[in-house]
Amino acid sequence: MILAFILFVFKGRKAKLAPDANIKLKYDDDDLLLLTPGPVKLHPRVLKALSSPVRYHREKSFIDSLNFVTKSISNLEGTNNLTVPITGSGTAAMDSAISSMVKRESKVLSFVNGAFSERLYNISRYYSDNVTPYFKEWGKAITGEDVKKALEDKEFDFVTLVHNETSTGVLNPMDEVMQEVNKGGAISIVDGVTSVGSDRVEVDRWGIDAMITASQKCLGGPPGVSFVTLSKRALSVIEKSDRGQNYYLDVRNYIKGGKVDVPFTTATPLVIALQEAIAMIYEEGLDNRINRHRLMGKAVRAGAQAMGLELLAERGHESNTVTAIKIPDKAESVVSQGKRYGVLFAGGQGKLTEKIIRIGHMNTVGEREVLTGLSVLDAVLTDLGIAHETGKGTLAALKEFSSAGSN
Ligand SMILES: Cc1ncc(COP(=O)(O)O)c(C=O)c1O
């Protein structure tokens, strides 16, 4: 009798709380909603371009496509400076910018407030014996005051920093930062991998000498190509010596007669796909695209906070392309449980592993993706028994959409 009662309760519970394993749709890896901070989901038009016949990298029609891509990237960065394409992910362009200019005896100042600015610091140490780090807590922004402090009574040949720190969701205030950097006169090397194409970048106005970006994030292309945009000052540093410290990544190999050259086989399908992605940026309009990214960032932050979650980024310096949310000790479980519902969030990197999740809102991410992402996050937190305000995330996001007049 008692056993029958227990079985009855157990059966009832099972039916109520969790759907039968047999009727659950298993999302495969081709069908996940990517809310990672890159690589981003590719629009079907970009996927189609990616599958077009392979081009010969020295043939005119391909060179025209490559020129369109590099000139557009300069344009999206607010400059006519020369953009050099590198075959390799964003780290290849970071390595290229540094190894092409920095010498063993060069004095380098590296601002470090996250995993990618730390990478610039580590690459600098590969090529120079004279690198000074300026560490800031991960989650805090580098400010003009920090630059002032770091430069006090000291002179540097190069300064490295990241514009949008993808590992923490912090957007460094470039107006004030670059103003102070330029007072020191050093050549600036800036990583714009998660800003160029989706946020305001003003290379000429800010006076950036080497701007780095990559295909697979804010530009909306497939991973595998990256870019370095060089100012006249940077080019004059390069012209002063006939070689950098890395053969394949030396920008000297990619420039002939002041124009982009293709010394080695370019990843032609990736460039053709990126050309289509950039055409879509122009169709949307850069200002519209930036405003959309800002709104999606606002909605994700409002949603997370309405659920009672805490953001990592210092207030006033939040990124428009990625949001880092604190989930102490359970971040990796949230990421893997999210996959069960077909949504892929990213976890934390380095010292932030297991402490945060990151939601990317780049490229094609719009209202559908933000509302889906917040609902799935809500469901996952419920599943894992993590305290939060259920049902409030999507409502807060909807409020942001409606006050922006987007619905
Ligand atoms: C700010 C930033 N810099 C550089 C990179 C380059 O990394 P990868 O070599 O994986 O493209 C990334 C990628 O996440 C990034 O977000």
Side-chain angles (χ1 to χ4, degrees), residues 30-46:
D30 284 343
D31 194 25
L32 288 175
L33 170 59
L34 288 189
L35 289 181
T36 49
V40 294
K41 178 194 152 189
L42 300 184
H43 188 277
R45 271 174 58 183
V46 177

Side-chain angles (χ1 to χ4, degrees), residues 100-205:
S100 297
M101 295 193 284
V102 167
K103 307 223 163 308
R104 286 243 73 92
E105 65 279 9
S106 301
K107 289 186 202 151
V108 184
L109 169 65
S110 286
F111 289 97
V112 179
N113 62 334
F116 293 102
S117 40
E118 185 176 65
R119 190 173 299 176
L120 283 174
Y121 167 54
N122 288 333
I123 296 171
S124 299
R125 292 198 297 162
Y126 255 67
Y127 298 113
S128 163
D129 297 323
N130 216 337
V131 186
T132 306
Y134 182 96
F135 294 114
K136 192 93 189 263
E137 189 184 328
W138 290 25
K140 296 266 189 291
I142 303 293
T143 62
E145 273 309 303
D146 289 316
V147 181
K148 242 191 220 171
K149 236 196 271 171
L151 289 177
E152 222 166 46
D153 306 326
K154 290 184 209 90
E155 278 190 9
F156 293 95
D157 304 308
F158 296 92
V159 167
T160 72
L161 70 135
V162 168
H163 180 201
N164 188 78
E165 218 348 312
T166 325
S167 63
T168 60
V170 166
L171 182 69
N172 290 314
M174 295 305 275
D175 277 312
E176 60 177 75
V177 165
M178 287 309 300
Q179 213 172 350
E180 293 305 323
V181 167
N182 289 326
K183 280 183 193 164
I187 296 284
S188 50
I189 300 175
V190 178
D191 174 336
V193 168
T194 47
S195 57
V196 175
S198 297
D199 208 341
R200 181 74 51 214
V201 174
E202 300 188 81
V203 160
D204 281 352
R205 204 167 70 79

Side-chain angles (χ1 to χ4, degrees), residues 354-368:
E354 227 0 351
K355 296 195 170 118
I356 57 164
I357 62 157
R358 292 173 301 146
I359 299 184
H361 25 90
M362 296 171 192
N363 195 38
T364 55
V365 170
E367 294 170 347
R368 170 182 59 177

